[in-house]
Amino acid sequence: MTKVTLSLRLNGEPAETAFAPHKTLLEVLREDLALPGTKHGCELGECGACAVLVDGRPVLSCLYLGVEAEGRSVTTIEGLAEGPELHPLQRTFADLGAAQCGYCTPGILLVAKALLDRTPKPSRPQIKEALSGNLCRCTGYLQIFDAVEQAIVDMTAGGSGPSARGGDGGGR
Amino acid sequence: MNVVGKPRRRVDGRAKVTGQTRFADDLVLPRMLHARLARSHLPHAEIESIDAAAALAHPGVRLVLTGKDMPVAYGILPVSHDEHALCLDRVRFVGDPVALVVAVDEDAAAEGVERLRVEYRPLATVASPAEALATPSPRIHDYGDQGNIHKLVSMEFGDVATGFAAADEVFDDVFFFQGNTHLAIEQHASLAAVDPDGKLCVWSSTQTPHYLHRALTKVLGIPAAHIRVIATPNGGGFGGKSDPFNHEIAVCKAALVTGRPVKICLSREEVFYCHRGRHPVEMRLRTGVKRDGTITAMHLQTLLDGGAYGSYGVASTLYTGALQTVTYRIPTYRFDGCRTFTNKPPCGPKRGHGTPQPRFGQEAQLDKIACRLGIDPADLRLRQLVEPDSLTANFMRVGTIGLRECIEKVVAGSNWRARRGKLGFGRGLGLACSSYLCGAGLPIYWNDLPHSGVALKLDRSGGVTAFCGATEIGQGSDDVLALLVAEVLGIDPFDVRVVTGDTDLGPVDLGSYSSRVTLMMGNAAIQAAERARALIAAAVAEKLAVPPGRLVFADRRVFDAEDPARGTSFQDAVVLAEAAHGTLGTVGSYKPPTSAAKYKFGGVGPSPAYSYTAAVLEVEVDPDAGWVRVVKVWIGHDIGRALNPTLARGQVEGSVYMGLGEALMEESAFRRLPPKRSAALVHKFPSLLEYKSPTTLEMPDVETYLIENPDGAGPFGAKEVGQGPLLPIMPALANAVFDAVGVRIDEIPVTPEKVRKALDAQKQGGAGRHGPARFPDVPWPEPLRVPTPWEGGDGRASNEKPRKRDQQPHAPIAPEVVR
């Protein structure tokens, strides 16, 4: 099958690849761009594990063709931290038990980031609504809500430094 | 305590939030091939022929395997080795795999599957336990207790007839608990390769690498020492990755045949066919009580829909009757259990393994008893709690029991006494309790070996590495291992590197099932760490000229308790120890105490400790739509000690969540296609679109109370928390619905349709109940009769033929005698 080429901005850097045109963005990210942090769970847009940001908006990459990302900016979990510095959401998720098995976590973190980018101080109902397309079978969601709310506090305080919570692993 | 009891980031937390946890399907090897399974579209048929010529002619296809390539049977339990990696001559459910197609990529493999020509001769199908009982032939398997009955057990502890005769009232109820599935978001995946040195290596999303190891050596005929199983971190398990699976064995064979790495990742639909989920269970429960609510006798009958294979089924069957006795005093008890084969995906262990179904019946019936006798449901339970350090009628040894505190907490938190029955029509409160194991007291293969082993390596770097076969499935077992070692050695968990889930690198741990890891691995870890501490203490004591017993290990230092300034850094202490003793390494192991239950089938139920839980649910019921909304949950869990409260709370809340899914919406239901369309039994909901599970919008607030009353059997007193808190949710919900609208839903899930049916029936003067009408007739055998401890029983049955030994001899990893 003839491959198509794709040029995009991936996690802040230019990237190019070529693949069979029917491949989803999820498959292109995992198989052609060596970014396995984005997960698959249902193949039909129900679980949210494959969520990534395209031009800052959450997209279910299992329902989005790779070719549609041409010229766009895509953010995956691998691009959420700035260098070695975790995003505040990543810190609070790690510190407050919001990730158990961690499989749904990348998708949830990106959807939460998109929420905070557009609504810096969401209420809990707004957080619930925003994350209602992401299934988590481990946590019961409550520690996820807590982590999002703590990240809002941390970001408002302007602190991107290590979180006060957690043991010695905190902030690294 | 240095670390124990402090809320902390788990040691693998950073990996998970950066997307760096490597799950099985994330792994890629050079020259890797991809595989897909061809699965039966018929629920029961003989395989007449498989023609792979067209598939092999596909330019991308490299190999097609069929049943005859791996004809050796296997299964998780030694008594039911009834599976083949690929079906040999018969398929038993829609989705049973018949061939593996290996190709250069997944698309080519899928095209190869399409090109296979499989001829079947259909056989009559069995859809339900009732049909299985009525249809002894054709048999789905040529073993089992009779016809299509897989397992039939009956046992009586004390004389229930006398117990019922002493009762003022006998309650007789029939319940049904529909099956459901784990729905881990990670689909099962495996990657097999031949190592550079010629040995087999497989990475797999398995909760039980040790048992996969056993299955592989048996089926492939390779010495276990030449097979390495690496359990990758599981993207959720919940019991669904506890069996050795077809795909795991088939990709290993494919890697051996092709000499190339072979990977498979199941589709979501295939995960529904793998199943091993909650058994659908029909139950009849008769309980005799005095007017004050005191239980005099209980007789429980369970009928399990096992699906097409044995899986853990014999254990599941026994678990439906094992733990009724560990919460409230039950002086006489009879249990009859029956598991049937049906032509549906095999059922197995899901969180709570066999115990949530009868616990639902028991707790729902207690609510009816309380209601009829005019006793507060909380008081009915509080009056007859099992005593600590006691034996139950069926010889379960209870150590600590914090159930009283659990009940008191949720009663106070929910303002139960002021609010129950007083919230008005449409709103209600329900209470239920439960208990669960902290690890199965007996291993799957009875032997004298440790259930868990931990090895530590320490060196002059000051670093400590902990090795253990335990499997991280999200529950936090890696964190438990690191934190316990750190606690004993006075360092930070971040200083400990853990190497887990790898049969080559770590001592055997039996796996992440039966809530066993914290207690069993934990005790092994403490033993290994205490031995390392003793070596270090000896060296430091000599250097400081103080008795070793005076040394304190804390804050990454080793120092004199009487003069804390006198001491050394932990790293310097390890250097001293390495100089004094040579290379440093210690091991620890754990084996549970001998069980008091000596009767046949007494191997299921005993545990070193039992956790306890009580929950109150507040619901809002829309009587017009039948819709049930859970407003709030109060839950108290007797955890012994919370090693990392952050993770403990997560396990409780996650259990509540999963329990709510089971209580309200989740079901693995099947329908029979019309005869002209093959009469196949097909899964109604083999996708995430149709199988409903709670989202963020359905999740209520949860008030969690961790009751810490350290149990001597657990590491620093810890008991389990991964499964027990799920158990009270389903009955508490049904009880709350009754409090809200006055109808009994004796069936799980409690769907709007059932609530409406019960309300309609009530309006028309009926009982206001929805549930099964009767319990099927089962040919129960003569029960084993076991005198209770208070009758002077010794744990043996009085009418049991003497068995050769109470314990099987040591069973090494080798082909076992099956069935």
Side-chain angles (χ1 to χ4, degrees):
Chain A
M1 194 179 300
T2 314
K3 290 186 170 184
V4 291
T5 58
L6 170 70
S7 302
L8 74 167
R9 211 162 166 80
L10 183 58
N11 295 327
E13 295 174 3
E16 280 189 12
T17 186
F19 50 86
H22 64 268
K23 287 183 93 164
T24 63
L25 179 59
L26 171 67
E27 291 167 320
V28 172
L29 289 169
R30 288 179 57 85
E31 297 164 11
D32 301 295
L33 291 164
L35 292 175
T38 303
K39 302 303 177 202
H40 54 82
C42 71
E43 303 122 14
L44 42 70
E46 274 294 307
C47 73
C50 66
V52 298
L53 303 185
V54 175
D55 293 336
R57 294 165 58 92
V59 156
L60 296 172
S61 64
C62 77
L63 298 183
Y64 191 94
L65 285 175
V67 292
E68 292 180 84
E70 176 66 30
R72 297 186 184 274
S73 171
V74 173
T75 306
T76 70
I77 188 65
E78 289 88 350
L80 191 55
E82 290 196 21
E85 195 66 39
L86 296 184
H87 187 279
L89 281 164
Q90 289 175 305
R91 277 204 303 278
T92 57
F93 269 59
D95 287 346
L96 300 180
Q100 283 188 24
C101 82
Y103 198 82
C104 70
T105 309
I108 291 183
L109 280 168
L110 290 164
V111 173
K113 179 189 187 303
L115 170 69
L116 300 193
D117 285 348
R118 106 187 148 251
T119 313
K121 290 188 181 174
S123 64
R124 183 163 282 213
Q126 284 176 307
I127 296 169
K128 283 188 171 190
E129 177 73 33
L131 296 178
S132 62
N134 294 81
L135 292 179
C136 169
R137 292 289 285 174
C138 294
T139 61
Y141 304 113
L142 301 177
Q143 289 178 315
I144 292 174
F145 304 153
D146 289 351
V148 174
E149 287 170 352
Q150 187 59 46
I152 296 165
V153 172
D154 292 355
M155 289 162 82
T156 309
S160 59
S163 162
R165 294 163 309 281
D168 257 10
R172 251 170 280 193
Chain B
M1 294 284 174
N2 294 308
V3 189
V4 166
K6 301 201 168 91
R8 286 174 33 257
R9 172 187 291 193
R10 53 194 295 161
V11 292
D12 49 357
R14 190 180 190 284
K16 289 173 193 290
V17 300
T18 54
Q20 293 184 83
T21 301
R22 286 290 163 261
F23 300 95
D25 192 43
D26 298 339
L27 304 175
V28 174
L29 290 176
R31 302 183 70 236
M32 186 171 84
L33 297 169
H34 297 262
R36 306 272 328 149
L37 285 164
R39 294 178 181 270
S40 166
H41 66 287
L42 293 175
H44 200 193
E46 284 178 3
I47 302 171
E48 292 193 321
S49 64
I50 301 178
D51 179 358
L56 287 166
H58 187 292
V61 172
R62 293 290 176 271
L63 176 71
V64 175
L65 292 175
T66 62
K68 63 181 185 333
D69 295 307
M70 295 165 282
V72 179
Y74 67 92
I76 182 69
L77 300 188
V79 292
S80 47
H81 278 204
D82 60 2
E83 298 185 56
H84 293 88
L86 298 166
C87 294
L88 265 185
D89 46 20
R90 184 131 53 120
V91 294
R92 294 179 170 87
F93 68 97
V94 173
D96 221 357
V98 295
L100 183 83
V101 177
V102 182
V104 293
D105 57 36
E106 270 192 297
D107 287 347
E111 286 159 18
V113 167
E114 291 299 314
R115 290 182 177 205
L116 285 176
R117 293 288 163 263
V118 186
E119 299 296 331
Y120 295 103
R121 192 176 72 79
L123 297 170
T125 60
V126 174
S128 66
E131 280 187 27
L133 292 166
T135 317
S137 75
R139 296 183 82 184
I140 295 172
H141 287 284
D142 59 6
Y143 80 103
D145 281 347
Q146 50 175 282
N148 280 311
I149 295 176
H150 176 203
K151 199 70 208 169
L152 202 51
V153 298
S154 181
M155 46 195 113
E156 184 168 349
F157 306 93
D159 180 8
V160 287
T162 308
F164 280 117
D168 294 320
E169 288 215 48
V170 175
F171 290 75
D172 190 347
D173 290 286
V174 188
F175 298 96
F176 177 57
F177 197 121
Q178 179 60 287
N180 51 52
T181 202
H182 319 84
L183 207 74
I185 306 293
E186 180 205 25
Q187 297 129 302
H188 305 51
S190 302
L191 167 60
V194 178
D195 267 356
D197 59 6
K199 296 174 188 150
L200 177 67
C201 182
V202 58
W203 294 260
S204 193
S205 41
T206 175
Q207 300 177 231
T208 52
H210 174 68
Y211 294 115
L212 176 57
H213 200 194
R214 282 181 176 268
L216 287 172
T217 192
K218 184 184 181 210
V219 176
L220 301 175
I222 298 173
H226 300 167
I227 301 173
R228 178 181 186 183
V229 179
I230 300 173
T232 45
N234 287 201
F238 317 114
K241 294 166 182 164
S242 304
D243 286 62
F245 282 103
N246 309 83
H247 62 271
E248 294 174 307
I249 297 169
V251 291
C252 285
K253 182 71 180 182
L256 291 168
V257 173
T258 60
R260 293 173 66 173
V262 180
K263 182 160 86 172
I264 190 165
C265 180
L266 302 188
S267 70
R268 176 54 61 184
E269 184 180 356
E270 289 180 287
V271 173
F272 279 94
Y273 299 144
C274 276
H275 194 44
R276 320 287 160 151
R278 181 92 66 225
H279 284 75
V281 179
E282 294 167 77
M283 294 161 262
R284 180 180 178 194
L285 181 60
R286 286 200 309 140
T287 304
V289 291
K290 293 291 210 186
R291 234 163 253 114
D292 67 357
T294 307
I295 297 167
T296 61
M298 179 178 281
H299 183 183
L300 170 67
Q301 296 179 320
T302 62
L303 177 59
L304 291 79
D305 184 344
Y309 289 97
S311 183
Y312 283 80
V314 172
S316 314
T317 306
L318 293 166
Y319 272 128
T320 64
L323 299 190
Q324 263 44 55
T325 53
V326 300
T327 42
Y328 320 111
R329 283 190 301 272
I330 297 174
T332 62
Y333 177 54
R334 177 166 168 176
F335 166 63
D336 306 318
C338 175
R339 182 182 196 258
T340 62
F341 288 122
T342 55
N343 294 113
K344 297 187 289 192
C347 296
K350 183 187 171 193
R351 209 171 195 171
H353 192 188
T355 71
Q357 301 98 322
R359 179 56 64 177
F360 161 67
Q362 184 176 9
E363 297 290 319
Q365 188 184 58
L366 276 176
D367 206 64
K368 298 183 188 189
I369 293 171
C371 189
R372 171 98 61 89
L373 300 180
I375 302 170
D376 184 304
D379 292 332
L380 177 68
R381 291 167 170 87
L382 286 167
R383 282 177 195 177
Q384 46 195 332
L385 296 176
V386 163
E387 296 291 324
D389 302 313
S390 66
L391 278 177
T392 67
N394 58 342
F395 288 87
M396 301 299 124
R397 191 183 283 120
V398 172
T400 56
I401 166 167
L403 187 51
R404 179 172 302 280
E405 293 86 338
C406 293
I407 296 173
E408 286 168 353
K409 282 284 186 192
V410 296
V411 162
S414 63
N415 202 5
W416 167 266
R417 298 201 189 271
R419 297 172 71 230
R420 183 186 70 95
K422 299 179 186 112
L423 294 175
F425 187 75
R427 203 165 176 114
L429 291 173
L431 178 145
C433 303
S434 63
S435 175
Y436 198 65
L437 315 166
C438 302
L442 280 90
I444 287 174
Y445 288 82
W446 287 13
N447 57 45
D448 297 325
L449 303 169
H451 291 216
S452 189
V454 170
L456 295 183
K457 183 217 81 168
L458 303 85
D459 67 28
R460 60 200 77 178
S461 70
V464 179
T465 308
F467 301 86
C468 180
T471 311
E472 175 58 60
I473 61 170
Q475 85 281 45
S477 63
D478 280 3
D479 194 65
V480 168
L481 179 57
L483 88 82
L484 289 172
V485 170
E487 177 65 45
V488 173
L489 296 178
I491 56 180
D492 191 278
F494 193 62
D495 303 338
V496 181
R497 184 170 295 283
V498 296
V499 178
T500 54
D502 185 325
T503 60
D504 260 17
L505 300 186
V508 169
D509 175 275
L510 296 179
S512 286
Y513 64 94
S514 81
S515 270
R516 52 175 297 289
V517 176
T518 290
L519 189 139
M520 299 196 187
M521 176 195 73
N523 280 322
I526 288 174
Q527 187 178 62
E530 285 179 340
R531 286 171 175 171
R533 186 175 63 185
L535 292 173
I536 297 167
V540 174
E542 190 173 325
K543 162 100 173 170
L544 299 182
V546 298
R550 231 168 69 190
L551 292 174
V552 176
F553 286 65
D555 304 325
R556 295 187 173 120
R557 288 183 70 238
V558 181
F559 56 88
D560 183 356
E562 294 183 4
D563 182 5
R566 285 193 72 215
T568 101
S569 71
F570 180 77
Q571 184 183 350
D572 287 345
V574 177
V575 169
L576 289 170
E578 193 177 337
H581 308 291
T583 302
L584 296 174
T586 59
V587 294
S589 54
Y590 179 79
K591 195 176 161 222
T594 310
S595 163
K598 308 292 184 198
Y599 54 91
K600 192 183 181 190
F601 307 128
V604 169
S607 177
Y610 297 91
S611 75
Y612 290 89
T613 317
V616 167
L617 263 62
E618 181 168 348
V619 301
E620 211 173 58
V621 182
D622 177 344
D624 297 323
W627 199 258
V628 179
R629 185 174 80 86
V630 179
V631 178
K632 181 149 181 176
V633 177
W634 295 264
I635 184 162
H637 182 72
D638 166 23
I639 192 173
R641 189 191 294 275
L643 297 177
N644 181 343
T646 303
L647 303 196
R649 189 192 133 197
Q651 288 300 311
V652 174
E653 291 173 356
S655 295
V656 169
Y657 155 84
M658 194 164 276
L660 289 174
E662 298 197 22
L664 292 168
M665 62 189 86
E666 295 187 32
E667 46 186 332
S668 297
F670 294 79
R671 64 198 169 97
R672 200 192 273 283
L673 294 182
K676 64 175 191 281
R677 292 183 58 206
S678 81
L681 287 161
V682 293
H683 202 300
K684 275 187 183 174
F685 317 120
S687 87
L688 268 171
L689 188 59
E690 297 136 305
Y691 184 94
K692 300 299 180 198
S693 64
T695 72
T696 55
L697 299 177
E698 282 81 42
M699 187 64 192
D701 283 344
V702 177
E703 196 71 55
T704 297
Y705 309 98
L706 295 175
I707 308 302
E708 298 192 76
N709 171 23
D711 189 296
F716 295 100
K719 301 201 280 190
E720 75 89 36
V721 62
Q723 306 193 60
L726 176 142
L727 287 149
I729 302 303
M730 294 75 77
L733 181 113
N735 296 343
V737 168
F738 175 77
D739 191 46
V741 292
V743 294
R744 293 287 179 188
I745 311 300
D746 288 340
E747 195 175 297
I748 293 296
V750 178
T751 57
E753 178 193 8
K754 293 172 190 172
V755 174
R756 273 306 310 263
K757 278 183 181 164
L759 283 166
D760 288 348
Q762 191 183 42
K763 257 181 217 160
Q764 287 154 17
R769 168 185 181 266
H770 183 84
R774 62 180 292 278
F775 187 85
D777 295 322
V778 178
W780 301 115
E782 178 68 16
L784 284 181
R785 296 188 190 285
V786 183
T788 57
W790 37 91
E791 292 172 324
D794 63 356
R796 290 181 169 80
S798 58
N799 60 341
E800 191 176 344
K801 284 181 213 137
R803 285 179 290 157
K804 277 182 197 156
R805 301 179 47 164
D806 284 329
Q807 286 233 320
Q808 300 293 314
H810 167 112
I813 297 185
E816 284 86 10
V817 180
V818 298
R819 295 171 196 169

